Amino acid sequence: MGIIDYFIKKKQPSSASVAKERLQIVVAHERNHRNQPDYLPLMQQEIIEVIRKYIEIDQDQVSVQLDDNDDCSVLELNVTLPDR
Amino acid sequence: MAKIIVVTSGKGGVGKTTSSAAISTGLALRGHKTVVIDFDVGLRNLDLIMGCERRVVYDFVNVINKEANLKQALIKDKRTEGLYVLPASQTRDKDALTHDGVEAVLNELAEDFDYIICDSPAGIEQGAQMALYFAEEAIVVTNPEVSSVRDSDRILGILQSKSRLAEQGKQVKEHLLLTRYNPERVASAEMLSVADVEEILAIPLLGVIPESEAVLKASNQGSPVILDENSEAGQAYSDAVARLVGEDVEHRFLEMQKKGFLKRLLGGK
Ligand SMILES: Nc1ncnc2c1ncn2[C@@H]1O[C@H](COP(=O)(O)OP(=O)(O)OP(=O)(O)O)[C@@H](O)[C@H]1O
Ligand SMILES: [Mg+2]
């Protein structure tokens, strides 16, 4: 290993810090979904079917989330449309 | 009244049975009358780790089905006073542990024992949920590795929603037990550190058990590793048990040890 490789290698994040970062993201995501009602995945699926009647979209272009606030719940629906 | 503690993890093979054996032995050594129950129906293993596999006559499912009473099924540990083992059944019937049956057995044990330790099977299905349902405290066994940490977080979610205490609007007391920890690999940033795992899971740290050859040796002999007082793993389990009963003990074996020449020569672990 040349000295230049050595310095390039040093700059890359360590194996453990990559692991930590990935974990933080996935765990936060799963915690968000944890308290959601059981019907949500099915509802998301049906919403996707409906949109697909009109526009070609992928599974991951739709996200459905229920946010519980103190006095009301907000159903958030995000659809990313493909470039035209 | 007994305190019911589940040893759980989500992911398989992270050290639940090793930890259940060590912790129940440690509690009994401190004079608490303790029973350790193998909830891993179909994959009985606690008996081997406790070294009582040849004395199993009746099991947990026999008691639930009233084919035997508790007295007949409990195995008195030969090494440690005040310690009993309730072995799992080897049946392939996954639904052998009924909710009411488990509750009845735990209630009967609770009259006699100070601690009931439940060794959970891997996974998040019925077997694991049954093992944790009645628990007041949970020891979440985690390895410093991405899939184990993620699964631990999932099991925490189940503890917080599907346990009896959660259903009553209360909280199961959670403990993090980090096992198979390798300080050398943490030092070279190849492995998640204690601090990393604590930060992600955000539950109090009960102990850190180093990766140790003493564990394999102990399993081979059928003697819980906590009885190997010279091993780091044994000492780390002793510390964890002290913390479990409320003592304030400093964490050890977190840092890389610089082995002296002589120690290396003699193969010190
Ligand atoms: N601190 C440690 N150092 C070295 N090896 C260990 C340590 N802890 C556990 N092991 C090893 O890891 C393996 C799995 O341990 P164990 O059977 O306790 O896990 P488990 O979580 O009960 O598994 P399962 O999910 O199958 O029930 C065993 O071979 C055991 O010897
Ligand atoms: Mg096990």
Side-chain angles (χ1 to χ4, degrees), chain A residues 7 10 28 36 47 50 57 59 76 80:
Chain A
F7 280 111
K10 270 276 152 165
Q36 309 222 323
I47 291 172
V50 171
I57 52 159
Q59 192 78 22
E76 194 182 301
T80 320

Side-chain angles (χ1 to χ4, degrees), chain B residues 184-197:
Chain B
E184 281 85 20
R185 303 191 69 185
V186 172
S188 56
E190 292 167 24
M191 188 183 256
L192 291 165
S193 68
V194 189
D196 292 340
V197 181

